[in-house]
Amino acid sequence: PGETNASWVMRGCLEFLFSGTSQAAACLEGLRWLIVPMLNPDGVASGRTRTNLDGIDLNRHHHDDTAPETRGLRAALQEEACFGTPLAFVDIHSHSRRRGIFAIANGRDGDPLVAAIAAHTELLDHAGTSRPEVRAQDEGVGRVAAARLGYRYCLTLESSLCARHAAAGNQHLSLEDLLEVGRAVCLGIADLAREAVASGHAAPRDEITSEGLDCDFTRSSAK
């Protein structure tokens, strides 16, 4: 309940991908999407703002086995990484202390994805991207844990519970704004995928090394 704006951004992603439009079809073609609409449904249903039913802050435990929710997500992410270099990981959240919609990246590693999303919506505060260096205490954050699994562009996407950033007009964020950003996330990821293919930087799934990953190719190949 404390991050309702994030749910609306996610709804924008899903409504767009299942819209049946030519743009949505282009996003789905040739791309494998792993989407978790809500990682903490039990916590949300019980009125918690950050934690699951056991009082665990999931976004500080993506790297360990403390919580079943993050343990399951990590297993799914790891399985994807066994079959190709994963292109992107976006962890969608809400923010109460800053205006606008902005990204947090691992240093400058996520800059191409931020730029790709910003190309489809002025609501993303591209100039206001936060690029903290990864510290030891950040290992349990979703975008950091995903990068450790080999995901190329990893972001936390934060949407304010209040107003747009100044360059986008300072009005209060509407539901339509949040849906638009969800659509832009999908379009930006698809743009990056096309660029990777065009430049020859896309790694085929059968060429990815499984070193350091617990890959069960017999089970996963049945997908």
Side-chain angles (χ1 to χ4, degrees), residues 89-91 98 102-115 117 124-126 128-135 138 141-145 147 152-158:
F89 172 90
V90 181
D91 193 10
R98 178 174 160 180
F102 62 96
I104 306 174
N106 302 326
R108 291 196 166 273
D109 292 350
D111 281 2
L113 180 53
V114 178
I117 297 171
L124 180 63
D125 185 4
H126 188 185
T129 300
S130 178
R131 302 179 180 88
E133 293 302 319
V134 176
R135 305 162 299 173
D138 298 326
V141 174
R143 68 176 186 279
V144 177
R152 190 175 301 166
Y153 306 116
C154 300
L155 300 177
T156 304
L157 186 67
E158 298 274 4

Side-chain angles (χ1 to χ4, degrees), residues 34-135:
L34 173 63
I35 298 176
V36 180
M38 182 177 290
L39 187 61
N40 187 23
D42 294 339
V44 170
S46 63
R48 297 169 183 256
T49 57
R50 289 187 64 92
T51 63
N52 68 1
L53 284 179
D54 293 325
I56 298 169
D57 184 347
L58 299 183
N59 201 33
R60 296 298 180 270
H61 290 282
H62 282 276
H63 66 318
D64 60 30
D65 294 334
T66 302
E69 297 91 344
T70 47
R71 187 166 64 245
L73 175 61
R74 189 172 70 256
L77 294 174
Q78 186 177 26
E79 185 169 315
E80 291 300 313
C82 290
F83 292 89
T85 302
L87 181 69
F89 172 90
V90 181
D91 193 10
I92 302 174
H93 287 265
S94 295
H95 203 279
S96 61
R97 293 181 293 174
R98 178 174 160 180
R99 288 173 178 256
I101 297 169
F102 62 96
I104 306 174
N106 302 326
R108 291 196 166 273
D109 292 350
D111 281 2
L113 180 53
V114 178
I117 297 171
H120 293 281
T121 177
E122 66 173 8
L123 294 169
L124 180 63
D125 185 4
H126 188 185
T129 300
S130 178
R131 302 179 180 88
E133 293 302 319
V134 176
R135 305 162 299 173

